[in-house]
Amino acid sequence: MEETNYDYLKFEQDDKHVLKNLSSMGEQLKELKRKMLEAEAAADMAKKAYEHYAKVVIPSEMFAAGVDSISLASGGVLAVKKNFYCQPNKNDADKKRIVDWLRANGGDYLVDHTATVSAEDMQQLEDKGIPYIEETSVNTNKLKSFLKDKVGASTGVQQIAMEDIPECIHFQEVITVELEMPK
């Protein structure tokens, strides 16, 4: 039988010290991670509480009081801020519905047009008008700006109500308060 050399399993005193030190450092790292996770959880809870207060509690109280902004005794200003979000659906049926709605509401200029023609019809295209497939797209930021104008958020003149906007556009107004802190 051949003898196997297990000398590498024998630890010297210095090796035991290194392993003990690494183990100790591992425990320290474990404790630091626990503290980090606790701090992250506390920060998440504080952020949620802040956002609820800034987006729900204070805006509703300011709206009820008819106040747009208020100076704080300790310095700083609390002001109502309106944010608009727009995420139109991208499926073909909804894109057509959005384009039709824009055309009916003065937003035809927002629609980008592209014509696609099959290779067999290219000569006909040169000779005379031929059937084509219209592909349309709408820039989301331009659409949001257009809708803000239509609901009167930018101009102060309301031309349509929020409920007149097709649901597939996903246009919404979110009211929050902005806190300006003194430096």
Side-chain angles (χ1 to χ4, degrees):
M1 235 200 261
E2 186 178 317
E3 266 188 54
T4 309
N5 185 354
Y6 294 106
D7 286 345
Y8 67 91
L9 292 176
K10 294 179 183 170
F11 294 105
E12 298 294 325
Q13 192 62 29
D14 289 344
D15 292 336
K16 289 179 184 177
H17 179 70
V18 168
L19 293 176
K20 184 177 179 184
N21 190 34
L22 283 173
S23 178
S24 175
M25 291 170 76
E27 293 299 326
Q28 177 66 22
L29 183 62
K30 193 169 129 181
E31 179 62 18
L32 290 170
K33 184 171 185 175
R34 183 190 64 74
K35 287 180 180 179
M36 179 185 71
L37 293 174
E38 284 177 358
E40 286 175 354
D44 285 345
M45 287 177 55
K47 183 178 180 185
K48 285 178 184 176
Y50 174 84
E51 287 177 351
H52 175 71
Y53 215 68
K55 293 179 179 179
V56 178
V57 176
I58 294 177
S60 63
E61 289 294 321
M62 289 179 77
F63 179 77
V67 175
D68 287 333
S69 67
I70 186 170
S71 295
L72 302 177
S74 61
V77 176
L78 201 57
V80 173
K81 181 180 178 190
K82 295 180 180 184
N83 296 307
F84 291 88
Y85 300 94
C86 184
Q87 288 293 322
N89 288 351
K90 302 293 184 187
N91 64 62
D92 289 337
D94 284 340
K95 281 172 54 176
K96 181 176 178 1
R97 184 172 174 209
I98 291 167
V99 167
D100 291 344
W101 184 84
L102 283 169
R103 286 180 175 149
N105 287 279
D108 189 43
Y109 66 93
L110 294 173
V111 180
D112 294 326
H113 301 274
T114 304
T116 303
V117 179
S118 67
E120 304 86 48
D121 294 331
M122 289 302 291
Q123 186 59 45
Q124 290 179 354
L125 178 62
E126 293 174 10
D127 296 342
K128 57 186 171 184
I130 62 168
Y132 65 90
I133 299 169
E134 181 183 15
E135 293 181 17
T136 58
S137 65
V138 177
N139 178 288
T140 302
N141 287 329
K142 290 179 182 178
L143 176 61
K144 181 173 81 170
S145 178
F146 172 79
L147 294 171
K148 284 173 63 178
D149 288 347
K150 286 290 188 179
V151 299
S154 302
T155 62
V157 178
Q158 183 178 5
Q159 299 170 32
I160 62 171
M162 291 286 281
E163 53 271 5
D164 295 333
I165 300 169
E167 289 180 12
C168 58
I169 293 180
H170 303 287
F171 181 72
Q172 60 184 348
E173 175 185 23
V174 177
I175 299 174
T176 62
V177 290
E178 197 169 80
L179 176 60
E180 294 177 18
M181 301 282 287
K183 293 182 180 186

